[in-house]
Amino acid sequence: MSQSNPQSDPKTTHFGYQTVPEDEKAGMVHGVFTSVASKYDMMNDAMSLGIHRIWKDAMMDWLAPRQGQKLLDVAGGTGDIAFRFLNRAPEATATVLDMTESMLFEGRRRAEATAKGERLNWIVGDAMALPFAGNMFDVYTISFGIRNVTRIADALAEAYRVLRPGGRLMVLEFSQLPNPGLQWAYDRYSFNVIPEIGRLLAGDRESYQYLVESIRKFPDQESFAVMIRQAGFGNVKYRNLTFGVAALHSGWKL
Ligand SMILES: C[S@@+](CC[C@H](N)C(=O)[O-])C[C@H]1O[C@@H](n2cnc3c(N)ncnc32)[C@H](O)[C@@H]1O
């Protein structure tokens, strides 16, 4: 009888459409975001025609930040979510955690131009092993980050652990369009236009090819809602944004 030997048969995962050893994915994702960091904000606007701003505002509308809340924004990159949260709840505090130093560097630079510096913390870390005690935060957000994480279930378990009872998780992520015709049109745009914009504006076709492939590999709305429930969250709901190009998922640590 043959048995699988973990050393000759390492666990694999996907990096876009490539199959890679699980322990190599984080380094590859880190490489992508180190490469795009200095142009990340400009490229977000160029590729989405500014629509990512509307989605992030929709996230805040549903989240309804309140005075005094402690936010943890994981995979927070250049700080878009934390800035919005603090704008809406001036007495709140925010911790932005990301595994890519150069993304946080850009965020810190942006924060220096505002008066929010004292209410913001920037921490290098991994969504799958958060460097915090349990029950510490009122709100956990992750925006366009979770599809890059090697083991999504581990990140959700960590979100549950660090939230206080009564705390809320909200995820903004690319998703699948329920209408096949629209999905077809969106795929044509994604695969033909986005890597080309990456090449022309950032001189980096590959990173943007990874971006569109990783979007197609991410679970659809219902499957992702199941994963959130399996992590222990209650009252899990989602809302489609722009026909399902992106979706917001909300859950509570009850
Ligand atoms: C597309 S950016 C999103 C940045 C920001 N949240 C936004 O919405 O604009 C994805 C970020 O996820 C980070 N990331 C990917 N995997 C991570 C992990 N395991 N732990 C922490 N951050 C991670 C990357 O470094 C990158 O900054």
Side-chain angles (χ1 to χ4, degrees), residues 29 33 40 44 56 75-77 80 97-100 103 125-127 143-145 148-149:
V29 170
F33 288 102
Y40 178 79
N44 258 353
K56 287 168 179 167
D80 268 6
L97 176 136
D98 199 287
M99 73 172 186
T100 308
M103 290 288 283
D126 184 349
S143 156
F144 301 116
N148 299 292
V149 171

Side-chain angles (χ1 to χ4, degrees), residues 90-133:
E91 301 296 316
T93 57
T95 299
V96 182
L97 176 136
D98 199 287
M99 73 172 186
T100 308
E101 307 78 352
S102 35
M103 290 288 283
L104 294 174
F105 178 82
E106 295 298 322
R108 275 195 129 111
R109 220 161 42 92
R110 286 170 72 192
E112 277 163 20
T114 73
K116 296 187 191 66
E118 283 174 11
R119 292 186 294 130
L120 270 166
N121 253 323
W122 303 86
I123 294 182
V124 177
D126 184 349
M128 296 185 295
L130 296 173
F132 308 111

Side-chain angles (χ1 to χ4, degrees), residues 177-188 216:
L177 287 84
N179 179 311
L182 287 179
Q183 180 72 53
W184 181 88
Y186 173 60
D187 280 350
R188 299 284 84 63
R216 291 303 268 126

Side-chain angles (χ1 to χ4, degrees), residues 27-40 43 100-103 106 198 201-208:
M28 297 169 87
V29 170
H30 184 270
V32 166
F33 288 102
T34 300
S35 161
V36 304
S38 63
K39 300 214 162 120
Y40 178 79
M43 288 299 288
T100 308
E101 307 78 352
S102 35
M103 290 288 283
E106 295 298 322
L201 296 188
D204 181 359
R205 189 174 212 291
E206 269 135 57
S207 294
Y208 293 90

